[in-house]
Amino acid sequence: AMAARGAYRCIECSGEATELYRDYQRGVLRISICKSCQKPVDKYIEYDPVIILINAVLCKAQAYRHILFNTKINIHGKLCVFCLLCEAYIRWLQLQDSSQNTDPDDLIRYAKEWDFYRMFGIASLEQTLFFIGIFITLWWMTPEMLKRKSDFILLLKALLLSTYGKLLLIPAVIWEHDYTPLCLAFIKVFVLISNSQAIRVTLNLNRILPWFAIFFGLILENGVVCLFQKMGWDV
């Protein structure tokens, strides 16, 4: 369990730790105690993954620190693409509902397929602009927090992982009912809360600054989309 200095983080105080536990052989393990707060460095190493997931859904900072700092999860890229596909599919469905064209002609089917790719492109553009807005704000407000390339990469991974809430878009549409628009709005809010917690945990900030960065990210995202629409682009 030994690692390089500062390889892990305490999930309670975010202090650095060299190990999560010590193995005394024959199945005897002892969880390391944080030197700063005198609490277990990471109690989640004993927990079932389902419990950890539930705590992450509840946006507990400890669960986020465990996932971001003390595990080797490397699915952020695939998760990002899948979430964008979910969002593109929802937008594509809404576009089909508004067109109501039942013509089976091949040209119509190709056009519908192109519409899906276009929705995926728009969703990717909006998320990219949102992240750029967040990075610009944080770099401007706390430049000392993002001095190294590794800091940017860690924050990007945290943001990508914290968009997992978009996966809920698919069941929200499959089990469609009168409250679907409200569900989609709640999912959007949940994703923003997750993004805020990811920023807070990664950079060890207070609660206000992450929300300020998210607000600026939303302004940049919607501002550029509106600009493209005024230019006549079908976005």
Side-chain angles (χ1 to χ4, degrees), residues 209-225:
L209 188 54
W211 278 111
F212 186 76
I214 285 173
F215 179 68
F216 186 78
L218 289 172
I219 290 176
L220 183 62
E221 171 192 328
N222 291 289
V224 173
V225 169

Side-chain angles (χ1 to χ4, degrees), residues 6-25:
Y8 303 107
R9 295 279 188 92
C10 171
I11 64 170
E12 300 293 340
C13 69
S14 198
E16 292 185 351
T18 55
E19 59 184 0
L20 298 179
Y21 60 88
R22 182 156 293 179
D23 189 350
Y24 290 99
Q25 304 301 324

Side-chain angles (χ1 to χ4, degrees), residues 32-169:
S32 300
I33 301 299
C34 177
K35 295 178 181 178
S36 300
C37 65
Q38 302 304 312
K39 293 181 179 179
V41 171
D42 191 344
K43 62 183 179 182
Y44 285 117
I45 61 174
E46 293 187 307
Y47 285 32
D48 188 271
V50 175
I51 302 298
I52 298 172
L53 179 60
I54 292 172
N55 279 263
V57 170
L58 293 173
C59 290
K60 290 192 174 182
Q62 293 91 337
Y64 273 69
R65 290 191 185 104
H66 167 77
I67 294 168
L68 293 174
F69 298 121
N70 300 338
T71 61
K72 301 298 181 183
I73 291 179
N74 197 30
I75 61 168
H76 48 277
K78 294 177 182 178
L79 180 64
C80 172
V81 172
F82 194 68
C83 287
L84 288 172
L85 286 171
C86 291
E87 193 165 349
Y89 179 69
I90 300 306
R91 297 183 182 200
W92 182 76
L93 275 184
Q94 292 171 338
L95 189 66
Q96 301 312 307
D97 290 342
S98 62
S99 62
Q100 297 296 326
N101 194 329
T102 57
D103 194 331
D105 188 83
D106 285 347
L107 187 62
I108 299 298
R109 282 193 281 112
Y110 287 138
K112 288 183 176 181
E113 185 178 340
W114 167 248
D115 281 337
F116 177 78
Y117 296 139
R118 184 165 60 87
M119 291 300 127
F120 180 80
I122 292 170
S124 302
L125 173 66
E126 289 183 357
Q127 180 156 298
T128 301
L129 291 169
F130 177 62
F131 285 172
I132 288 174
I134 289 174
F135 277 106
I136 289 174
T137 306
L138 292 173
W139 182 78
W140 176 54
M141 298 290 289
T142 58
E144 70 280 359
M145 294 284 184
L146 297 170
K147 285 182 178 180
R148 298 169 298 177
K149 181 181 177 182
S150 58
D151 297 328
F152 280 96
I153 293 174
L154 179 62
L155 181 56
L156 179 61
K157 286 182 178 181
L159 286 170
L160 291 174
L161 287 173
S162 65
T163 59
Y164 70 91
K166 290 184 179 181
L167 299 177
L168 297 171
L169 292 170

